[in-house]
Amino acid sequence: MKIVVTGGAGFVGSHLVDRLLNEGHEVIVLDNLVTGSKTNLSHLSNTSGFELIEQDVSKGIPNLGNVDVFYHLASPASPIDFEPLAIEILQVGSLGTMNGLNFAREKKAHFILASTSETYGDPLVHPQNEEYLGNVNQIGVRGVYDEAKRFSEAVTMAYRRKHGVKTSIVRIFNTYGPRMRANDGRVIPNFISQALRGNPLTVYGDGQQTRSLCFVSDLVDGLHRFMRFEPKLPINLGNDHEMTILSLAEETIRLTGSKSSTTFQPLPEGDPKLRCPVLDRAREFLKWEPKVSLQDGLQETINYFKKIL
């Protein structure tokens, strides 16, 4: 098939591109490289059926001919981006999504939206199933990302109902692995970078807030399955093994062999205290569940960061 991946030079997108090319599909990446990197795709420069086009999808989709599947992953996604790239995040979530939907409508392509667990905000329901409507502060610092994704979901469903566009919505929970930016600002890159440098690991709050961490190969396998299935409702993808931030810090120190200690800082505004997906829909409709253990995934990620730091 011929497949478009917006944001395909990013962390998750580049791994998805690898998977699709390995299966013999033709892949076109659209990325303006604001947070993505050509380095993530440099190993594909001579690969048949691969093309990278530097394009801000908020400003339009180029003429790409007929396309079978349109994965919309484009958006800065790290908390460190929420203030400096606030307008860009809102634009790619609104204009970029609508441009992609109009393109998919014209080409009769399957539009697959990469949404996020952040649509649930700082949840009052735990764990989070897809029927939970969320607890979002739309005027807070994180609101630009949360609401951009919530709008993306709303307009995706509108195009499905009004125009009959074939659509799917994936709510991605915390994902980690090789190709994350060292200065990404999220917990895994922070902890690994600090541990490898021998610096104290920064724990925000009391460290008892939780995350459920999915290794990128598991996530990509779930994203890939949407090409064979077309669920009508959003589906969570992530890992339902929940752990505290403090225990994650201790595990990172153990696996790196670091002498680092932990240091505590105030919890940032809006930082969710609980995060864990209900995966019943993923298991039922996609026949999918995560397989990579935290220890194996962390070790592979640590090995990557040893090379880039």
Side-chain angles (χ1 to χ4, degrees):
M1 291 191 287
K2 186 174 179 180
I3 301 169
V4 173
V5 181
T6 75
F11 158 51
V12 171
S14 62
H15 285 282
L16 176 62
V17 170
D18 283 345
R19 172 72 180 265
L20 297 172
L21 287 170
N22 286 339
E23 295 187 348
H25 301 294
E26 181 182 351
V27 179
I28 300 172
V29 169
L30 302 179
D31 201 306
N32 64 357
L33 304 177
V34 169
T35 56
S37 172
K38 287 184 179 180
T39 303
N40 291 336
L41 301 171
S42 59
H43 60 290
L44 302 174
S45 58
N46 296 318
T47 302
S48 175
F50 167 73
E51 183 178 7
L52 168 62
I53 300 174
E54 291 188 39
Q55 175 71 26
D56 182 348
V57 296
S58 301
K59 298 177 180 177
I61 309 294
N63 185 4
L64 306 173
N66 291 326
V67 166
D68 299 294
V69 180
F70 191 103
Y71 278 100
H72 185 37
L73 276 66
S75 178
S78 171
I80 65 167
D81 302 321
F82 293 168
E83 286 194 81
L85 298 176
I87 304 302
E88 290 86 345
I89 290 169
L90 289 164
Q91 287 175 330
V92 76
S94 55
L95 299 173
T97 304
M98 293 184 74
N99 287 337
L101 284 162
N102 283 323
F103 180 89
R105 180 188 178 195
E106 178 187 347
K107 305 299 182 181
K108 295 181 171 52
H110 182 186
F111 181 89
I112 302 173
L113 173 67
S115 187
T116 172
S117 60
E118 294 298 325
T119 61
Y120 301 124
D122 189 5
L124 303 177
V125 170
H126 188 74
Q128 294 84 56
N129 63 38
E130 294 89 346
E131 295 178 355
Y132 177 53
L133 300 181
N135 175 43
V136 174
N137 175 11
Q138 68 269 28
I139 63 171
V141 173
R142 303 175 72 97
V144 295
Y145 184 64
D146 299 358
E147 294 296 352
K149 289 296 189 179
R150 287 164 71 92
F151 177 85
S152 292
E153 290 194 14
V155 74
T156 296
M157 292 302 294
Y159 268 70
R160 181 185 183 94
R161 295 183 184 112
K162 183 175 178 65
H163 298 305
V165 179
K166 185 178 180 181
T167 65
S168 298
I169 297 173
V170 190
R171 289 182 183 153
I172 298 173
F173 280 67
N174 297 81
T175 302
Y176 71 100
R179 301 181 193 164
M180 296 189 87
R181 295 176 289 167
N183 64 341
D184 182 87
R186 284 177 278 195
V187 64
I188 293 287
N190 278 359
F191 280 176
I192 293 177
S193 298
Q194 290 169 334
L196 291 177
R197 289 168 173 152
N199 298 329
L201 274 63
T202 304
V203 175
Y204 295 99
D206 61 6
Q208 294 308 304
Q209 65 271 36
T210 67
R211 295 293 182 270
S212 56
L213 300 163
C214 183
F215 191 62
V216 65
S217 63
D218 279 336
L219 180 74
V220 164
D221 183 56
L223 288 170
H224 178 268
R225 291 179 186 231
F226 276 85
M227 292 200 302
R228 300 198 305 271
F229 299 92
E230 187 200 343
K232 296 180 181 179
L233 296 172
I235 290 187
N236 292 335
L237 285 185
N239 195 312
D240 53 2
H241 173 70
E242 188 178 10
M243 68 187 308
T244 67
I245 294 295
L246 194 56
S247 60
L248 176 61
E250 293 166 352
E251 182 69 359
T252 303
I253 291 170
R254 185 184 73 82
L255 289 174
T256 56
S258 175
K259 303 297 184 183
S260 295
S261 58
T262 55
T263 184
F264 293 84
Q265 298 289 338
L267 194 67
E269 176 193 344
D271 194 56
K273 300 174 188 65
L274 298 169
R275 182 70 85 224
C276 184
V278 174
L279 297 177
D280 293 350
R281 282 189 188 174
R283 291 186 171 104
E284 178 181 355
F285 293 108
L286 302 178
K287 314 303 179 188
W288 174 91
E289 61 183 346
K291 297 177 181 178
V292 178
S293 70
L294 179 68
Q295 180 174 330
D296 289 347
L298 271 181
Q299 191 62 65
E300 188 168 337
T301 309
I302 289 166
N303 293 342
Y304 171 78
F305 273 84
K306 285 179 178 178
K307 296 176 184 177
I308 67 170
L309 290 178

